Amino acid sequence: MVQGVTLTNPDNQVSTTTAPVDLQIQAVTSHPGATLTYQATALPAGLTLDPWLRVVTNEESGTIPYDTLNVQVNGVPLAAYSNLNASADYVQGTIDLGSVAGRYVTLKFSATEDLAVPTCFLLDDTALTMHP
């Protein structure tokens, strides 16, 4: 039996469910230091975070990550994206949350940009997915 997952989004809405959870996160970073924080409790084992991300940038370097988007759970970095991940379309990522199963977690998306050339991290439809 899957225990309920409780999610709290930035608008302080809370829901508990045993069905698949779709966070419906939509965000655009347009300034340095933009942060989104979500909290959840009782995450079951076998769970992944699956964000759809599109990176749009005017950075000309193909080798230096000037602008970054970091994904942290309980302050521990689990994934990082940068201007080097630029794409014409959304790309789905998969982040394993097995290390935090059964615990209270804080999920944080944090963007950092230099001041020279803008990069936008377009985050859409981030799902929590159960894997048997």
Side-chain angles (χ1 to χ4, degrees):
M1 179 177 162
V2 176
Q3 294 183 2
V5 176
T6 301
L7 299 173
T8 304
N9 73 14
D11 295 326
N12 293 323
Q13 297 175 356
V14 177
S15 61
T16 300
T17 181
T18 57
V21 176
D22 188 343
L23 294 178
Q24 294 294 325
I25 296 172
Q26 295 180 337
V28 176
T29 61
S30 59
H31 63 281
T35 300
L36 290 172
T37 302
Y38 285 76
Q39 296 176 329
T41 58
L43 297 178
L47 194 66
T48 60
L49 178 71
D50 304 313
W52 285 89
L53 177 67
R54 178 175 176 216
V55 180
V56 179
T57 186
N58 290 327
E59 296 285 1
E60 294 183 14
S61 168
T63 59
I64 301 171
Y66 291 110
D67 308 317
T68 59
L69 174 69
N70 293 297
V71 182
Q72 295 181 350
V73 174
N74 293 349
V76 176
L78 292 185
Y81 305 94
S82 74
N83 53 282
L84 302 179
N85 298 107
S87 61
D89 294 311
Y90 283 86
V91 177
Q92 188 174 28
T94 297
I95 302 166
D96 183 12
L97 297 178
S99 64
V100 293
R103 291 194 243 159
Y104 179 88
V105 298
T106 298
L107 171 65
K108 183 176 180 180
F109 295 88
S110 180
T112 303
E113 297 183 56
D114 64 11
L115 299 177
V117 180
T119 295
C120 290
F121 298 96
L122 306 168
L123 186 62
D124 189 20
D125 200 20
T126 298
L128 289 173
T129 306
M130 282 297 302
H131 300 275

